[in-house]
Amino acid sequence: MAYETNDAFAENFTEIGKDAPPRYLGIRFDATGTFMPTPGNTVVSHVVPGSRTEAALARVRQGLMDLPYGDRFAYTPVSSHHMTVFQGIIEGRRKPDYWPEGVALDAAVEQTTSLFLDRLSSFPRGDPFHMKVVSVTPLGLVLEGATERDEYTVRALRDDLVGPFGYRHPDHDSYTFHITMAYPKAWLPAGAEAAYLPALAALKDSLAQEIDMVELGAPAFCEFTDMTEFRPLKFLS
């Protein structure tokens, strides 16, 4: 998720070389930016409600909305901001490596949620970790452990969750931690990077003056019906 160069930004966000609409249009949200039903479950750490981080991230979100062509993105609510620790299952992604081993690919989402809750009932309490912001992108924030120890701790937690969930995503080891604030509804025009890259850098610098680390709650196994709310069912630390 490194978009700091013109070529990387253009490849990921502009219309250049694209012959299809953005990946989640018509799946997670519609052309108006209204989020659609996409039930699933996941392990996330929510941004602490009422914290300095929540307020700072709300300002970043508004900054993204105010950018040229900001209306080409669907924005998640501030109350939903979180960092995914381990990807659960989601409707529309029913295939091996993304679905618990031994569970039918047509099983109801609610069945997997009950299964995971049962398996997590004796999950050991994990060590705390802290995250910092690496960069601001049109989609939100890229994060990493505040120290090498923090990075090791959160990735060890991901490793430990492979057992209860019964799968290991292909990007398990290379996964980039992030906080999603927006999804593209339409590609940006060619050349948009000229305005976006300096603006994103300025948002990152402004954010760094407000917070040193991202205030996150304890990792929690959650259920969701769409991308606007992730309801905790069990805290893991």
Side-chain angles (χ1 to χ4, degrees), residues 5-73:
T5 67
N6 288 358
D7 288 347
F9 187 96
E11 178 182 353
N12 284 278
F13 299 110
T14 74
E15 62 194 9
I16 296 175
K18 308 293 195 304
D19 57 6
R23 176 181 179 185
Y24 295 122
L25 178 63
I27 299 174
R28 297 189 182 181
F29 51 87
D30 63 22
T32 71
T34 301
F35 285 91
M36 302 166 61
T38 46
N41 49 61
T42 185
V43 175
V44 310
S45 288
H46 283 93
V47 172
V48 175
S51 65
R52 290 180 59 196
T53 294
E54 184 182 61
L57 268 54
R59 286 188 281 274
V60 171
R61 178 182 182 272
Q62 186 61 53
L64 294 175
M65 297 175 72
D66 291 341
L67 286 173
Y69 312 105
D71 59 350
R72 297 194 183 191
F73 294 83

Side-chain angles (χ1 to χ4, degrees), residues 1 82-84 139-143 175-180:
M1 296 180 67
H82 65 271
M83 183 191 82
T84 300
L139 308 182
L141 309 181
V142 175
L143 308 179
Y175 183 77
T176 300
F177 294 107
H178 61 278
I179 293 176
T180 297

Side-chain angles (χ1 to χ4, degrees), residues 147-163:
T147 66
E148 290 185 5
R149 179 65 185 178
D150 289 314
E151 184 74 10
Y152 171 84
T153 299
V154 67
R155 292 199 178 274
L157 176 56
R158 281 178 61 79
D159 290 342
D160 291 342
L161 287 167
V162 167

Side-chain angles (χ1 to χ4, degrees), residues 73-234:
F73 294 83
Y75 296 89
T76 57
V78 171
S79 60
S80 75
H81 289 168
H82 65 271
M83 183 191 82
T84 300
V85 175
F86 190 93
Q87 308 101 303
I89 63 93
I90 187 169
E91 189 62 69
R93 193 167 62 190
R94 295 171 175 268
K95 53 186 178 180
D97 295 332
Y98 300 91
W99 202 259
E101 184 177 0
V103 176
L105 290 175
D106 61 354
V109 168
E110 293 79 9
Q111 180 180 336
T112 71
T113 299
S114 295
L115 172 67
F116 296 150
L117 265 177
D118 182 61
R119 291 179 176 178
L120 290 168
S121 62
S122 59
F123 192 78
R125 188 173 295 272
D127 294 331
F129 56 82
H130 303 284
M131 307 297 292
K132 65 182 180 181
V133 177
V134 175
S135 63
V136 177
T137 82
L139 308 182
L141 309 181
V142 175
L143 308 179
E144 68 179 13
T147 66
E148 290 185 5
R149 179 65 185 178
D150 289 314
E151 184 74 10
Y152 171 84
T153 299
V154 67
R155 292 199 178 274
L157 176 56
R158 281 178 61 79
D159 290 342
D160 291 342
L161 287 167
V162 167
F165 280 81
Y167 55 79
R168 183 184 182 94
H169 284 193
D171 70 344
H172 178 85
D173 293 325
S174 62
Y175 183 77
T176 300
F177 294 107
H178 61 278
I179 293 176
T180 297
M181 297 180 176
Y183 293 93
K185 298 185 298 181
W187 301 118
L188 297 175
E193 62 271 17
Y196 265 77
L197 289 178
L200 294 172
L203 285 173
K204 166 62 167 59
D205 290 343
S206 177
L207 181 61
Q209 294 177 17
E210 294 190 70
I211 59 172
D212 296 323
M213 291 185 293
V214 180
E215 296 166 279
L216 296 172
F221 175 61
C222 301
E223 64 178 357
F224 56 89
T225 54
D226 57 31
M227 298 294 104
T228 67
E229 183 183 13
F230 298 79
R231 298 176 292 277
L233 301 176
K234 178 178 174 56

